Amino acid sequence: MTGVRDGATGVDALDAAFAETVRRTGASIGALYLLAPDERHLVLDVLAGAPAEVAAPWARIPVNAPAPVAEALREERIVWIGSHEEMARSYPRTAAVLPYPLAMAAAPVTGVRRWGALLLMWPAGRPPYMTQRERGHITASCGRLARLLEESAAGGTFPGPGELPRVLAAQTAVGAASPALAAADFIERLPGGSCALDLEGRFTYLSSGACELLGRDSGRLLGTLPWQSLRWLDDPGVEDGYRAAVISREPVVFTARRPPDSWLDFHLYPDASGISVRIVPSGAPYPPAPAFRRSARTAVPARAGRLYQLTHLAAALTEVVGVRDVIDLVADQIMPAFDAQGLVLSMVDAGRLRITGYRGYAPETIERLNGLALDTRYTPAGQVLDTGLPAFFSDPEEMGRAYPEAADVSGKQAWAFLPLVVAGRPVGCCILSYDRPHTFPAEDRAVLTSLAGLVAHALDRARLYDTKHDLAHALQQALLPRALPAVPGLRVAARYLPATRGMDIGGDFYDLMPLGATGAAAVIGDVQGHDVAAAALMGQVRTAVRAHAALGTTPDRVLRGANRLLTDLGADLFVSCLYARLDFAARRVALASAGHPPPVLRLPGGETRPLDLPPGPLLGIDPDARFPVTEIPLTPGLMLAFYTDGLIETPGVDLDDSITDLARHVSDADDGDLDALIDTLVAESGARRQRTDDVALLVLRHVVGQGHPGPVT
């Protein structure tokens, strides 16, 4: 075990329970992720069945990432992937960096709160489905892990997550073993060569035939990694073959050339304790080749681990949306991948470098660096943007020779300056820095240079998205009422929730208008779409409704006027709308609907039901459409809840059933605080989670002898 931290009792109990879960499920690899203190990331805490290096690309996973572990925690359910094909369909980013035949399950570890998630992996030979008994066992095991974490937290010995995962050693089988000499004799009599690797990839045994074929004696190879002690095996095909064997637990074959012209076939046979390797000259008789076969002859010269890391990070960069997402991804995944302690991400703005995000720097240092001109010679940032070539400085002395002032600005000891350039246009600069001197091997420089190009494109897209989003959001906020007016005799509350996908805008709207001393009008509507066009049309409809309502006309005439406007504009979008006119003197409410869901009516005695309101057609379809008017008594204590379909639409659920459920929630809620009532409706409908549509709510309650309603939130 490596990396054990303080609180050994809690750690030992947790590790024992985790190891037992892996053993009893028959999984070849297990991983326990714990929530980081910020609750935005899952951090790998315990690992079994694989070395930490193999799991490096997944050591830290954002909770909102499209990954099985994150989804299991978010949705609090077991996520099962029975094959790599299923993985590719459901989780393409994960499949890109796990191109092996395997099955996988991820399960939430929850108790009094969310603690993290459990990941289990099996070789592809197991059935591609999970039985109810297996699900029950995994669920029970996760509950046990959660209880141990709760006990550790209560006792002040909470075990993690730490900087490095704890790696549990594989348990060897117990039983009678053949005498060592007989085993050695048996191996020596076999043709070709035999050797053994542990799960870290190091030689633990070599036969004389293996030493002869490899061209080196066992004393120089034992305890070393093949691709480090044998330069001709320093090839991604070799390391990737080892990784495939460790992760898939399936036999693997690859071919490599021993200089000058000897080709050797390597047959890897893995299990939970290590890997047995048979080495034979290429073309010699050997058992049938396994399904997973890689040839090193066509591989490019780079570390397989770095290639997987680059693939993983590249896939992640394709999914970021805004500039803040890019900054978080660079800080949370790229910085740890290259052991950096500092980050400065700048963007080009009006001929200067404006810092948009940083980590590991004092604010006063960032203040000195922010706003430097593109042609600055104060730091290497200007030069790397001018030339488009990255610059690496391994220690302050090297930096000081070229930029004397820059070396003393931050107190850092090593730097990588990466230009962010898109189609020859400078976008910004990414600086990774280190608290101690740090060398940059050619491999790291190549990967960082490649990543800089990916970051540049992601940052450019993100900036464009943020600009569009800010413009659209400002447009919508300008079109929605900042606060509803105070109307004597009414208590009101309203809420607007944008869709969680897309540009966070839409066409839902609401409004409340006083009509003289004894009346008021309320309107709610939904414009088709979730973009700038929908928001703009929403503003036009709301203006038209207000103009016709101010004339004191009946609800049907108000909707007819708005409908004529839309048909005259020739808009391609349609609008649903519900308009209500409240007459306090006559104690009546008149309502008309243009294809909008019916309001929920709650009577003073507590009876609650959807109002039976015959709808007319949507606005913008028929210029001669008529809209039936329905009247109900306006009694003290009567409440009306208006809403848009984003609150009630759920895939696979009948709309009438959803409206009935909403009426039940309105009936059960406390009407003393209308804002709290809206909170309840939003929570019960699930609209606080992922929303594919925006949501608007407007709740009115008639009161007598009370003051004006407060401002809407």
Side-chain angles (χ1 to χ4, degrees):
M1 188 187 301
T2 61
V4 177
R5 300 180 294 277
D6 294 336
T9 301
V11 170
D12 289 347
L14 182 68
D15 289 352
F18 167 73
E20 178 68 8
T21 298
V22 176
R23 185 189 66 81
R24 292 187 62 184
T25 57
S28 56
I29 296 176
L32 177 63
Y33 286 83
L34 297 183
L35 268 176
D38 62 4
E39 296 195 358
R40 295 171 54 195
H41 297 86
L42 284 163
V43 181
L44 179 59
D45 189 58
V46 195
L47 179 66
E53 183 187 11
V54 170
W58 312 281
R60 189 176 178 89
I61 300 175
V63 171
N64 61 356
V69 170
E71 187 168 302
L73 181 66
R74 287 197 309 270
E75 301 185 2
E76 296 189 1
R77 66 179 180 90
I78 294 178
V79 174
W80 166 254
I81 301 100
S83 65
H84 188 264
E85 290 75 15
E86 185 178 348
M87 178 87 75
R89 288 193 302 270
S90 303
Y91 306 96
R93 186 206 294 186
T94 304
V97 289
L98 277 178
Y100 310 116
L102 52 81
M104 176 188 295
V109 177
T110 57
V112 295
R113 68 174 180 85
R114 300 190 310 170
W115 294 100
L118 175 70
L119 179 67
L120 300 169
M121 299 170 64
W122 293 266
R126 68 149 289 150
Y129 57 85
M130 178 177 286
T131 66
Q132 285 299 116
R133 182 175 181 179
E134 287 176 312
R135 287 181 175 270
H137 176 65
I138 292 175
T139 301
S141 297
C142 288
R144 182 184 178 194
L145 293 172
R147 288 192 297 273
L148 289 171
L149 289 167
E150 289 159 9
E151 292 171 3
S152 296
T157 59
F158 182 62
E163 293 184 3
L164 295 174
R166 300 189 303 284
V167 180
L168 304 187
Q171 295 181 347
T172 56
V174 178
S178 302
L181 183 59
D185 288 344
F186 169 78
I187 294 172
E188 290 297 334
R189 282 192 291 266
L190 294 175
S194 300
C195 60
L197 306 176
D198 61 18
L199 291 179
E200 301 287 341
R202 295 180 176 85
F203 284 113
T204 58
Y205 172 82
L206 295 105
S207 69
S208 59
C211 294
E212 181 179 351
L213 289 171
L214 296 176
R216 191 160 296 183
D217 60 70
S218 60
R220 300 177 62 184
L221 295 177
L222 287 173
T224 68
L225 296 171
W227 43 89
Q228 292 180 356
S229 54
L230 299 167
R231 299 301 299 172
W232 52 276
L233 286 179
D234 185 11
D235 189 293
V238 174
E239 191 177 348
D240 190 35
Y242 149 73
R243 286 172 177 268
V246 170
I247 293 176
S248 70
R249 291 294 197 269
E250 292 288 313
V252 171
V253 172
F254 63 84
T255 304
R257 182 178 67 88
R258 175 189 164 190
D261 55 3
S262 298
W263 289 92
L264 300 176
D265 289 340
F266 292 77
H267 303 257
L268 281 61
Y269 301 93
D271 68 6
S273 62
I275 304 174
S276 297
V277 182
R278 287 285 296 142
I279 309 171
V280 295
S282 185
Y286 50 78
F292 191 94
R293 183 182 178 98
R294 294 274 179 97
S295 173
R297 301 183 188 187
T298 58
V300 295
R303 288 252 64 82
R306 280 296 192 218
L307 289 176
Y308 279 113
Q309 203 163 51
L310 181 59
T311 303
H312 174 72
L313 295 172
L317 283 166
T318 64
E319 297 172 356
V320 294
V321 178
V323 171
R324 177 53 52 186
D325 298 327
V326 177
I327 295 169
D328 289 342
L329 187 141
V330 174
D332 296 335
Q333 298 193 39
I334 295 180
M335 276 180 63
F338 293 91
D339 301 321
Q341 290 82 48
L343 164 71
V344 176
L345 193 63
S346 305
M347 296 181 67
V348 174
D349 180 21
R352 294 188 175 274
L353 280 169
R354 305 291 181 184
I355 295 177
T356 56
Y358 65 94
R359 298 287 193 279
Y361 282 83
E364 53 269 20
T365 301
I366 296 301
E367 186 175 350
R368 294 179 62 183
L369 296 174
N370 193 24
L372 294 176
L374 288 183
D375 59 354
T376 179
R377 291 297 181 261
Y378 183 63
T379 76
Q383 181 182 356
V384 299
L385 280 175
D386 183 44
T387 63
L389 300 175
F392 301 91
F393 302 88
S394 299
D395 53 55
E397 182 180 351
E398 185 179 354
M399 170 71 84
R401 286 195 295 267
Y403 300 91
E405 295 180 88
D408 298 327
V409 172
S410 63
K412 300 297 184 182
Q413 302 290 301
W415 301 263
F417 286 80
L418 308 173
L420 305 180
V421 180
V422 175
R425 173 174 53 88
V427 173
C429 184
C430 177
I431 305 171
L432 297 179
S433 60
Y434 298 79
D435 293 339
R436 296 180 180 179
H438 180 87
T439 58
F440 295 94
E443 177 185 324
D444 281 2
R445 296 186 183 211
V447 174
L448 283 170
T449 302
S450 299
L451 278 175
L454 298 173
V455 171
H457 283 83
L459 195 61
D460 199 41
R461 288 196 314 272
R463 180 166 56 178
L464 179 61
Y465 172 86
D466 284 350
T467 300
K468 290 182 177 179
H469 177 272
D470 291 344
L471 287 172
H473 187 70
L475 172 63
Q476 184 161 41
Q477 291 303 308
L479 295 175
L480 285 173
R482 293 186 178 181
L484 295 180
V487 178
L490 281 182
R491 292 177 58 199
V492 300
R495 190 74 50 84
Y496 175 78
L497 302 172
T500 56
R501 299 179 183 177
M503 296 185 68
D504 290 348
I505 63 169
D508 289 13
F509 66 95
Y510 58 83
D511 207 349
L512 180 69
M513 298 151 282
L515 300 177
T518 61
V523 63
I524 193 166
D526 184 357
V527 180
Q528 176 189 12
H530 312 97
D531 53 17
V532 176
L537 186 60
M538 175 263 285
Q540 292 174 306
V541 173
R542 179 169 168 251
T543 301
V545 170
R546 289 187 71 93
H548 288 284
L551 300 175
T553 56
T554 58
D556 59 326
R557 291 180 177 272
V558 171
L559 293 184
R560 287 168 62 184
N563 182 54
R564 281 194 298 271
L565 170 68
L566 260 67
T567 53
D568 289 345
L569 290 174
D572 294 330
L573 304 177
F574 304 126
V575 182
S576 72
C577 189
L578 175 62
Y579 180 87
R581 187 174 188 276
L582 294 84
D583 189 332
F584 299 112
R587 297 185 180 277
R588 304 292 293 176
V589 181
L591 305 99
S593 171
H596 200 82
V600 172
L601 171 69
R602 178 168 167 170
L603 299 173
E607 179 187 351
T608 306
R609 67 176 187 273
L611 187 61
D612 186 10
L613 187 66
L618 294 171
L619 302 180
I621 296 178
D622 179 5
D624 300 319
R626 294 293 184 267
F627 304 94
V629 176
T630 300
E631 288 196 3
I632 60 173
L634 179 60
T635 56
L638 178 140
M639 184 169 69
L640 285 167
F642 303 86
Y643 55 92
T644 55
D645 55 10
L647 184 71
I648 56 173
E649 284 188 339
T650 303
V653 179
D654 184 78
L655 198 61
D656 290 336
D657 293 339
S658 295
I659 296 174
T660 301
D661 289 341
L662 177 64
R664 177 170 53 82
H665 297 321
V666 172
S667 176
D668 295 341
D670 182 8
D671 63 354
D673 184 341
L674 297 187
D675 284 310
L677 183 144
I678 287 180
D679 288 338
T680 300
L681 298 183
V682 171
E684 294 291 346
S685 69
R688 281 181 178 168
R689 299 187 293 271
Q690 295 290 318
R691 296 183 299 275
T692 57
D693 196 2
D694 47 342
V695 175
L697 292 101
L698 175 63
V699 180
L700 313 175
R701 186 168 183 266
H702 180 37
V703 293
V704 177
Q706 296 190 19
H708 295 333
V712 66
T713 57

